[in-house]
Amino acid sequence: MSQRIACLDNLRGLVMMLMTLDHTRDYFSISHFDPTDLQKTTAALFLTRWITHFCAAVFVFLAGTSAYLWAAKRGTDAPVSGFLAKRGLLLLVLVCTVEAWAWNFRADLRHIDGGVLWALGWSMIVLAALVKLPLGWVVAIGGSMVVGHNLFDGLKPADLGWFGPWWSVLHTGDDIDLGAGWQLNPYYPLIPWIGVMALGYGFGHLLTVEQWRNPRRLMLLGCSLLAGFVALRYSNLYGDPQPWQAYPDPSFTLLSFLNCHKYPPSLLYLLMTLGPALVFLALAARPLPVLQVFGRTPLFYYLIHLYTIHGLAVLVALINGGPVAVVMGGGIWQKDWPADYGFGLVGVYGFWLLVLLMLYPVCRWFEAFKAARPQWRWLQYL
């Protein structure tokens, strides 16, 4: 089991680094449009964004896996429901406070962004109830959510009257005006993400079974998900609201094939990301030091990386005469980001490496700080 835990930390650390690339691009790229818009993008910009799609799926899946392993380590009397509920509530508090200020650097926190911490928090709270059921039921419910939610893609909040805002939170992710200046943007809708965490919980059980700790089994499972993605995506029959199409340039045809819907995450998006994640687990059996440090401090890393990137972006704007007020006050959410401000991909990757170098010693210190204080139980939530 120690090897398997090392694999999980390797994978988690890798996606933390990729997430940092995505957020560095948000603040430093001169390309102020959706990098997956095939009418505007380049292959390099598309792939820089696309590779970061693995982050959210892996975060949520491994959160479920870690919950099962946490409970298995402590035995049948482990208070897993209480742990999940408390951690979920903590994440939701952070969404509205520490995370919100990291994105916006302003006192007005009435714009609530329902991103990855939002999805993790609510999924943990729901999983806290689901774990009371037999494991087979947890997996079946999670699988039904992941596989079946695209059946409802045509159902819009405007069609549902009073239930419309709830449907935005559960499935579509549309903005919700709460009045008095308050707004919720639940762009990580909950139904598929709850399903992913439930499946991750079931995967945790597999890792406690000796034959499933065999890398060949994990490789087979990951390749099966990838094969399912290729077959279903090629058919254009189901699993994503954006069918792929042929382009005069074959490379853009491939990009179209890979351009699956993330908000909400389609079935094909999840097959495309979780399949390679399992393949990585099969290949990364030994601890990789840098990935281990980042992978063992996920929440701490997540919060400080936002402040580091945003603060660095403000500093760079101050130095080179950039739009400091825009970068400082609203960051990437501002509509009036100057079209000619930012850096090309080489610059973005340079800032990304700089941020990683800045974060590594801090995370290493926090890991040692946490390990030296096992009596501080609240640290387990970080």
Side-chain angles (χ1 to χ4, degrees), residues 144-153 171 191-192 238 264-267:
S144 298
M145 288 179 165
V146 168
V147 173
H149 79 96
N150 286 118
L151 291 170
F152 304 97
D153 287 342
H171 185 72
I191 289 177
Y238 178 74
S266 68
L267 168 61

Side-chain angles (χ1 to χ4, degrees), residues 73-307:
K73 182 179 179 180
R74 288 160 177 79
T76 55
D77 294 330
V80 62
S81 287
F83 176 76
L84 285 167
K86 291 175 185 176
R87 189 147 201 237
L89 288 172
L90 170 63
L91 293 179
L92 294 179
V93 171
L94 292 175
V95 165
C96 299
T97 54
V98 179
E99 184 191 23
W101 202 76
W103 285 116
N104 298 313
F105 279 4
R106 61 188 179 192
D108 187 352
L109 303 179
R110 292 178 297 172
H111 185 163
I112 303 171
D113 290 302
V116 66
L117 289 192
W118 165 273
L120 282 166
W122 284 113
S123 296
M124 286 180 180
I125 291 170
V126 174
L127 186 60
L130 290 179
V131 297
K132 301 291 187 181
L133 301 173
L135 182 62
W137 278 99
V138 177
V139 174
I141 292 171
S144 298
M145 288 179 165
V146 168
V147 173
H149 79 96
N150 286 118
L151 291 170
F152 304 97
D153 287 342
L155 196 58
K156 305 303 180 185
D159 303 328
L160 299 177
W162 66 269
F163 191 70
W166 292 101
W167 189 239
S168 295
V169 170
L170 294 173
H171 185 72
T172 65
D174 295 289
D175 288 355
I176 302 171
D177 186 356
L178 302 174
W182 287 85
Q183 186 180 50
L184 172 63
N185 178 17
Y187 59 98
Y188 273 60
L190 299 183
I191 289 177
W193 292 119
I194 291 169
V196 171
M197 187 174 288
L199 290 177
Y201 188 81
F203 180 70
H205 171 71
L206 289 184
L207 295 184
T208 64
V209 180
E210 185 174 354
Q211 58 264 37
W212 275 102
R213 294 198 293 273
N214 186 327
R216 291 184 179 180
R217 286 287 187 99
L218 292 174
M219 179 68 73
L220 178 61
L221 181 58
C223 289
S224 297
L225 294 183
L226 274 174
F229 161 71
V230 172
L232 195 54
R233 182 62 165 162
Y234 182 78
S235 73
N236 263 345
L237 293 176
Y238 178 74
D240 197 279
Q242 300 174 166
W244 69 277
Q245 54 186 298
Y247 282 79
D249 184 342
S251 65
F252 270 69
T253 299
L254 176 60
L255 298 185
S256 178
F257 195 87
L258 296 174
N259 194 19
C260 294
H261 202 268
K262 182 180 179 180
Y263 306 109
S266 68
L267 168 61
L268 290 175
Y269 168 92
L270 294 170
L271 290 174
M272 177 184 70
T273 52
L274 292 178
L278 296 179
V279 171
F280 180 85
L281 284 180
L283 297 174
R286 296 181 179 180
L288 302 173
V290 174
L291 300 186
Q292 290 284 300
V293 170
F294 290 149
R296 288 195 292 257
T297 56
L299 180 55
F300 177 78
Y301 178 101
Y302 178 82
L303 294 174
I304 67 168
H305 100 282
L306 293 178
Y307 283 90

